[in-house]
Amino acid sequence: MLGVAGTIVAAIIMIAFEIPDLRRKKLKKELWVFSFLMLFAVGLGIAHSLNWPIPNPLDGIRTVLQPFSDFIYGLLK
C-alpha cells in the first residue's frame, strides 16, 4: 500500500508543477497528451507496486509478426 500511496503522491506533485504552466500557455493538446500519459503511467505504477502481471509489449509484437517471419523464412529455405 505504501507503493500505491507513493505513486499517487508523486503524480500529484508532477501534476501540480505541469498543469498550471500548460493552462497558462493555453496548450490544450499538450494538456490532453500529458493527462493521458500521466494516467497511463500512474496505472502502470500502481499495478507494479501491487505485483500485478504487466504484459511485455515485445510479446504482442512477436505474436503479430511471427507468421510473417515464418512465411519469409519458408521462402528462403
Side-chain angles (χ1 to χ4, degrees), residues 20-64:
D21 191 40
L22 290 173
R23 281 190 174 173
R24 192 173 341 112
K25 293 179 181 177
K26 297 184 181 183
L27 300 172
K28 296 208 185 274
K29 291 178 185 176
E30 288 82 357
L31 181 61
W32 277 105
V33 170
F34 173 77
S35 300
F36 174 75
L37 291 175
M38 181 60 74
L39 182 65
F40 185 71
V42 168
L44 281 177
I46 290 173
H48 180 71
S49 66
L50 293 174
N51 294 324
W52 289 356
I54 300 171
N56 186 354
L58 288 178
D59 292 339
I61 293 171
R62 184 175 351 127
T63 302
V64 170

Side-chain angles (χ1 to χ4, degrees), residues 1-23:
M1 269 313 177
L2 188 61
V4 173
T7 302
I8 292 173
V9 168
I12 289 171
I13 291 170
M14 286 186 265
I15 288 169
F17 280 109
E18 292 295 328
I19 296 288
D21 191 40
L22 290 173
R23 281 190 174 173

Side-chain angles (χ1 to χ4, degrees), residues 20 33 47 68 73:
V33 170
F68 181 71
Y73 184 72

